[in-house]
């Protein structure tokens, strides 16, 4: 299985827009935490500090950080941005998830 985590072009554009409004040095941190209706949930935060062991994904103006504990849960995933009838949001297309909730913010492995 691949450990690569990718960011779609749409997500990179939206992340870049968000980070510009957050000031210099801002990065998007994606992590996986216990909780949610399916066992694990994705967390998105703006961060201005990078840890030495963070995975750094850069595309266009987007810089995404993933902590080492979250990398195995996100291995092979793509971060996308969707804008549909339900609303606009980041969506993680995760091949490791065996089930997810209806809104797509929590998953199980």
């Amino acid at each position: 299985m691949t450990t690569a985590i990718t960011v779609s072009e749409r997500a990179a554009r939206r992340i870049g827009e968000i980070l510009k409004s957050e000031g210099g040095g801002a990065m998007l941190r994606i992590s996986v935490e216990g909780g949610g209706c399916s066992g694990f949930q994705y967390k998105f935060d703006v961060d201005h500090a990078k840890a030495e062991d963070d995975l750094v994904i850069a595309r266009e103006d987007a810089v995404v950080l993933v902590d080492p504990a979250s990398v195995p849960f996100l291995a092979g995933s793509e971060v996308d941005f969707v804008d549909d009838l339900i609303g606009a949001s980041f969506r993680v297309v995760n091949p490791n998830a065996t089930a997810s909730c209806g809104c797509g913010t929590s998953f199980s492995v």
Side-chain angles (χ1 to χ4, degrees):
M1 172 176 24
T2 181
T3 58
I5 301 167
T6 58
V7 176
S8 73
E9 184 179 338
R10 284 185 306 241
R13 268 196 312 268
R14 184 64 184 127
I15 292 167
E17 292 168 6
I18 292 168
L19 297 180
K20 281 180 190 173
S21 68
E22 293 292 331
M27 298 164 276
L28 180 70
R29 179 172 294 282
I30 301 174
S31 55
V32 174
E33 298 181 337
C37 54
S38 293
F40 294 100
Q41 60 188 359
Y42 303 110
K43 184 176 179 191
F44 298 88
D45 290 305
V46 174
D47 202 337
H48 286 85
K50 176 188 130 4
E52 270 188 43
D53 55 355
D54 280 339
L55 171 66
V56 179
I57 305 158
R59 180 170 182 171
E60 300 167 23
D61 294 330
V63 179
V64 177
L65 305 175
V66 181
D67 64 271
S70 298
V71 169
F73 293 104
L74 294 168
S77 295
E78 180 184 49
V79 179
D80 196 10
F81 181 75
V82 294
D83 191 356
D84 54 24
L85 291 174
I86 298 172
S89 63
F90 289 104
R91 187 162 298 153
V92 179
V93 180
N94 189 339
N96 304 304
T98 57
S100 64
C101 65
C103 63
T105 59
S106 69
F107 67 101
S108 60
V109 289

